[in-house]
Amino acid sequence: MEALFVSTVVVALAEIGDKTQLLAIVLAARFKRPMPIIAGIFAATIANHFLAALVGSQVASILEGQWFRYAVGASFIAMALWTLIPDKLDDVEDKPARFGAFLTTLIAFFLVEMGDKTQIATVALGARFENVIAVTMGTTLGMMIANVPAVFLGDALIRRVPMRAVHITAALLFLAIGLWVVAQTAGWV
């Protein structure tokens, strides 16, 4: 349950104001069909985050050892710093949609999520918990918690939520997890 809960909270907070959330708003404005967009986000996130959690878990099982746990802790601390940098979505609005709302969302989300904060966090969570299913479920739930309201409420939601406070909260959560992993590895806790 810890892997599911931590993954959900970390990704839900990290996703607010992220490129993929901005993409959800753009797609909702373009297609005005929320259900296929939500289904596309869900399918893309499951696929992307399953692979990311699997990579993290496999790397953790291969590279067991104290130095690797320190690296995982350091990756969470680095994520804390990265979370404080606001994302921008470049030129998505100008590209014409070749497919319907679902397929466009599925492809766009899967690709935009590559190398994104939440995908890197999912790799780190997979390495930390070595539970691919719980991490995938948690990170997918976190993405849906952050993106479904964005699809329905769009830009109005983003303007009302204090982004800086959300980014600071997410960064503190990443920092706390990173410090906890380092402290556990060092035997301080």
Side-chain angles (χ1 to χ4, degrees):
M1 285 305 285
E2 181 186 9
L4 176 71
F5 177 73
V6 170
S7 297
T8 300
V9 172
V10 164
V11 169
L13 287 172
E15 180 64 8
I16 296 175
D18 195 59
K19 281 186 297 193
T20 44
Q21 189 178 53
L22 300 175
L23 177 62
I25 292 167
V26 168
L27 292 169
R30 180 186 297 166
F31 289 107
K32 302 198 184 335
R33 297 184 57 218
M35 295 318 287
I37 293 168
I38 291 167
I41 292 169
F42 182 73
T45 301
I46 285 179
N48 191 296
H49 285 207
F50 174 77
L51 293 173
L54 184 63
V55 165
S57 178
Q58 291 302 306
V59 167
S61 68
I62 293 169
L63 301 175
E64 290 183 35
Q66 195 171 27
W67 69 271
F68 180 70
R69 291 196 44 82
Y70 280 121
V72 170
S75 73
F76 278 107
I77 294 168
M79 286 297 303
L81 297 172
W82 189 10
T83 301
L84 296 173
I85 302 168
D87 274 333
K88 295 179 186 121
L89 192 61
D90 301 323
D91 301 328
V92 171
E93 299 169 74
D94 300 334
K95 296 176 184 168
R98 293 188 178 138
F99 308 106
F102 174 77
L103 197 52
T104 299
T105 303
L106 176 74
I107 293 167
F109 251 78
F110 189 85
L111 293 175
V112 170
E113 188 65 11
M114 293 295 205
D116 195 45
K117 282 181 254 195
T118 50
Q119 186 192 43
I120 303 300
T122 302
V123 171
L125 289 162
R128 164 66 178 90
F129 292 109
E130 295 187 54
N131 186 336
V132 174
I133 301 301
V135 168
T136 302
M137 288 171 52
T139 58
T140 301
L141 181 58
M143 290 286 283
M144 300 312 288
I145 288 168
N147 286 308
V148 170
V151 169
F152 285 112
L153 304 174
D155 201 41
L157 178 68
I158 297 299
R159 278 188 261 133
R160 292 180 193 244
V161 174
M163 285 300 140
R164 190 76 184 139
V166 171
H167 288 152
I168 289 170
T169 303
L172 290 173
L173 186 57
F174 279 123
L175 180 63
I177 293 169
L179 292 175
W180 179 257
V181 170
V182 169
Q184 275 186 325
T185 304
W188 301 333
V189 182

